[in-house]
Amino acid sequence: MKVFKFGGASVKDAAAVRNTASILQRYQGQQIVIVVSAIGKTTNALEKIVHLFRSGGSYINEMIALTNYHHAIINELFANPTEVLLHVNEMLNDLESSLNHEDEDDQLYDKVVSKGELISSTILFHYLKEISLPVTWIDARQYIITDENYREAKIDWEITCQRIQQLKKLIHDSIIVTQGFIGCTPGGNTTTLGREGSDFSAAIFASCMHAESVTIWKDVPGVMTADPKRLRGATVFRELPYKEAAEMTYYGASVIHPKTIKPLANKNIPLLVKNFDDPSLPGTIIHDCVIEHMPALVVFKENQCLISCKVTDYTFINEQQLSSIFHALSDLGIRINVMQNSAITFSFCIDFRESKVSTLIARLQENFEVYYNAGLTLVTVKNYDLHTYDHYRNLPGVLIEQSSRSTLQVLVRNF
């Protein structure tokens, strides 16, 4: 049994949906679970709707654009789109009715943004059925059970695996189409697993069903040494060890979601990253292997925020003060990407999410003078050589530079 994950670009328009179907036809007769992301930039559009609703702005134009976008794809794919439009319109209507001021911000976010995957999987399911592939649509929220940590929900692995294993009978007769990114609390509230979390969903299904492999179909030829849009000379890894891939995702490589590797490595399930435009390309296989000489890997993580806490009573930064900072970060579910301290200041870099950063700063100001810079880029060079080390540490606008035996990190302005 294989798990295939198709990202938003794989289903961004009618041509992409047809291409996804052609890939699946190559594997006809095999047992496959398909995990699909929201179409194109739908998640961004849904986030904007949530923001406009919360801020009191009008989100009607965004809703109209979102509806027209999906309708255009459906009308191009289907000779008789009536049934598909009925299902999709029902979900779009439910999206609008789910906007509720009584919900907490993160809970409302999950309730609204999750609709993208439900809609995309419905369209793909109906198209695969249209071309006579044996398919069954399932709601991932009935199988992936989480806690109530909205936007970053944690998996209840015991219950989730019990439920997913029930699919083993179903997969003998049909391809299963389901959603990435979403789950559900025991009480029935929709949750999401973190931005770009569909890769993680694929790993969850694969781990619980003891899959042969997971394949992530993307618009790149495999895992590369850098983002090819930033560095023209980036090359493709033919294979990577689990540990190396996990570190890449930790530092911000967007090709794979950070939580994806662990459940696969624990079960020794290989992860393939393949190109959906040219499935004949070998791509990258991430598995249990040893590579003696790894090339330099460069990761750019944007939208970063540097926060500096300065003591106010002429003492030095000590363990008690560090403890108060880390408790605040833990309480808000914020992860540090890089940190550095001097005698009287502790500085750290985090992903910028305005509401959380504002809350964190207010809490830290109870004990420290707090300064911050937003709109920064964190550059991580893994397995650096002399050339990459000198180049990146001498970039203009460096606010923090930190290096170890194999990794260099620089936080820079305007990069």
Side-chain angles (χ1 to χ4, degrees):
M1 189 274 286
K2 297 180 174 71
V3 177
F4 285 176
K5 181 263 177 173
F6 290 96
S10 308
V11 287
K12 66 182 179 181
D13 52 31
V17 173
R18 292 191 188 100
N19 181 60
T20 293
S22 72
I23 291 172
L24 293 168
Q25 286 175 320
R26 293 168 172 247
Y27 296 88
Q28 202 158 353
Q30 298 189 40
Q31 296 179 3
I32 296 174
V33 173
I34 300 168
V35 174
V36 64
S37 299
I39 287 173
K41 300 297 183 182
T42 295
T43 301
N44 292 345
L46 291 168
E47 286 180 336
K48 188 172 182 180
I49 288 170
V50 173
H51 172 72
L52 288 170
F53 173 77
R54 278 299 191 198
S55 61
S58 174
Y59 55 86
I60 300 303
N61 288 340
E62 295 297 326
M63 279 294 303
I64 292 171
L66 189 68
T67 300
N68 290 342
Y69 177 42
H70 286 85
H71 281 188
I73 294 172
I74 292 167
N75 288 324
E76 189 175 340
L77 282 174
F78 299 93
N80 182 6
T82 306
E83 183 183 359
V84 190
L85 285 171
L86 183 67
H87 289 294
V88 169
N89 287 341
E90 185 179 338
M91 292 177 183
L92 288 167
N93 291 335
D94 185 54
L95 186 165
E96 193 163 6
S97 64
S98 67
L99 293 170
N100 189 333
H101 281 291
E102 294 180 2
D103 288 329
E104 295 290 333
D105 286 356
D106 288 348
Q107 184 176 355
L108 176 68
Y109 176 97
D110 283 3
K111 188 185 291 186
V112 172
V113 174
S114 60
K115 296 294 190 290
E117 276 70 16
L118 292 166
I119 293 170
S120 64
S121 61
T122 297
I123 294 172
L124 180 60
F125 160 71
H126 281 281
Y127 184 72
L128 296 177
K129 189 168 69 169
E130 179 101 335
I131 64 171
S132 301
L133 285 177
V135 286
T136 301
W137 184 93
I138 66 166
D139 188 334
R141 295 173 298 179
Q142 295 180 7
Y143 297 89
I144 295 181
I145 308 303
T146 74
D147 63 8
E148 295 183 353
N149 186 29
Y150 299 102
R151 295 189 69 166
E152 288 284 350
K154 294 180 175 59
I155 307 300
D156 185 323
W157 281 96
E158 184 177 354
I159 297 175
T160 295
C161 281
Q162 287 174 1
R163 295 198 180 189
I164 288 177
Q165 284 169 7
Q166 296 171 10
L167 296 172
K168 287 183 177 179
K169 294 179 182 178
L170 186 62
I171 203 170
H172 283 293
D173 303 316
S174 66
I175 297 168
I176 293 173
V177 179
T178 192
Q179 309 79 36
F181 181 52
I182 67 175
C184 191
T185 68
N189 293 327
T190 298
T191 55
T192 62
L193 310 181
R195 198 66 158 82
E196 310 293 344
S198 293
D199 295 351
F200 184 36
S201 298
I204 294 166
F205 279 101
S207 175
C208 293
M209 296 182 79
H210 304 281
E212 172 189 334
S213 63
V214 173
T215 302
I216 298 175
W217 296 91
K218 297 186 71 73
D219 57 354
V220 292
V223 180
M224 305 185 74
T225 54
D227 182 347
K229 296 173 184 175
R230 281 189 174 271
L231 293 183
R232 191 174 298 175
T235 59
V236 178
F237 290 102
R238 294 298 299 270
E239 63 175 347
L240 276 171
Y242 287 123
K243 183 179 178 182
E244 193 76 21
E247 288 188 45
M248 287 171 55
T249 64
Y250 175 85
Y251 291 125
S254 60
V255 69
I256 307 164
H257 188 273
K259 297 178 183 176
T260 306
I261 302 297
K262 186 177 186 295
L264 299 181
N266 287 346
K267 298 285 181 69
N268 202 23
I269 299 170
L271 173 63
L272 294 88
V273 179
K274 299 269 288 179
N275 181 257
F276 60 71
D277 288 321
D278 187 355
S280 67
L281 292 174
T284 302
I285 180 169
I286 298 167
H287 60 149
D288 187 10
C289 64
V290 177
I291 300 176
E292 291 297 333
H293 301 289
M294 291 289 298
L297 166 77
V298 185
V299 178
F300 303 92
K301 191 166 189 177
E302 298 175 335
N303 197 30
Q304 296 297 288
C305 179
L306 175 65
I307 296 178
S308 297
C309 300
K310 184 178 180 181
V311 293
T312 59
D313 59 356
Y314 303 103
T315 59
F316 300 122
I317 287 285
N318 59 34
E319 290 77 7
Q320 184 177 356
Q321 290 159 333
L322 288 174
S323 177
S324 71
I325 294 170
F326 281 106
H327 270 105
L329 289 162
S330 178
D331 289 346
L332 293 170
I334 297 173
R335 194 193 82 179
I336 292 178
N337 296 324
V338 67
M339 56 186 167
Q340 197 169 82
N341 70 283
S342 65
I344 60 172
T345 303
F346 180 74
S347 299
F348 55 93
C349 166
I350 59 175
D351 297 341
F352 182 75
R353 190 187 295 174
E354 188 173 358
S355 60
K356 284 202 172 186
V357 168
S358 297
T359 304
L360 175 64
I361 289 173
R363 183 161 166 181
L364 294 174
Q365 283 175 332
E366 296 172 6
N367 300 303
F368 303 94
E369 286 182 22
V370 180
Y371 307 90
Y372 77 98
N373 302 82
L376 309 176
T377 299
L378 178 62
V379 185
T380 302
V381 186
K382 184 86 168 57
N383 311 312
Y384 61 77
D385 54 25
L386 184 59
H387 170 72
T388 53
Y389 184 80
D390 286 341
H391 173 73
Y392 286 102
R393 67 190 296 266
N394 289 306
L395 289 172
V398 172
L399 295 175
I400 284 182
E401 174 199 332
Q402 194 162 276
S403 63
S404 65
R405 289 186 179 90
S406 63
T407 303
L408 168 69
Q409 290 187 288
V410 290
L411 185 65
V412 295
R413 291 189 179 100
N414 304 322
F415 188 71

